[in-house]
Amino acid sequence: MAVCEGSALVTLGIGEDEPARLGSYDPFGAVGHVHGAVWMLRSGRGLLAVDPADGTALWSVEADRKMVTDPLPYVDALLVGDADGGLRKVGPDGRTAEGCSLPGRRLDALAAAGDGGLFFAAKCTFGCFALAP
C-alpha cells in the first residue's frame, strides 16, 4: 500500500505492472492493514477502514478527541490513543471493544514494544507497559 499526496491510496501487487488505485479520501496520515481491512487515520479526526480489493468503505469511527497518529494492530483489532491519554481497542467492525486512560498524561505517540508490550510518549515522559489479550 502507498499513500499519494495524503489523499489517495494505492496497492502495489507482487508481479503487477501498475499499482491499483483504491480511491481518494479525505486527507489522512497513518495507514495500515489489520484483519482484512486497510485503515486510515483521517487528519486526527477518526478512522476509516476500506476493503483492500476495491476501496469501498467498511466502517468509520469519528473521534471526540484528537487521535494519536500511530494506531497499532493488536490481535484482531486496533489500539488507538487520544491526546487526553485515553486508549481504546477498536474491533474489526469499528466498534470500541475496551478502553482505559493513562491518568494525568497527554498521549503523543504509541509504538509496539515486542512481546505484546506498548511504548508510549506523553508530555515530558515516556514509558512501556504490557498488554494482555
Side-chain angles (χ1 to χ4, degrees), residues 18-133:
E18 296 287 326
R21 184 182 175 108
L22 290 184
S24 293
Y25 306 91
D26 290 340
F28 61 94
V31 63
H33 185 269
V34 67
H35 201 63
V38 174
W39 56 261
M40 296 173 277
L41 182 65
R42 299 182 303 165
S43 303
R45 295 187 328 258
L47 291 168
L48 173 66
V50 298
D51 185 325
D54 60 12
T56 57
L58 298 172
W59 53 262
S60 66
V61 174
E62 290 301 318
D64 53 352
R65 300 177 187 134
K66 182 171 174 25
M67 298 178 90
V68 174
T69 58
D70 307 307
L72 296 173
Y74 177 68
V75 187
D76 64 347
L78 285 174
L79 290 178
V80 180
D82 66 55
D84 294 333
L87 287 174
R88 61 181 148 172
K89 184 171 120 180
V90 177
D93 59 357
R95 293 185 179 156
T96 298
E98 297 178 56
C100 67
S101 62
L102 301 171
R105 307 219 193 256
R106 186 189 84 208
L107 194 60
D108 293 316
L110 296 174
D115 296 331
L118 181 71
F119 281 117
F120 67 90
K123 185 176 183 179
C124 300
T125 190
F126 65 92
C128 179
F129 55 90
L131 299 170

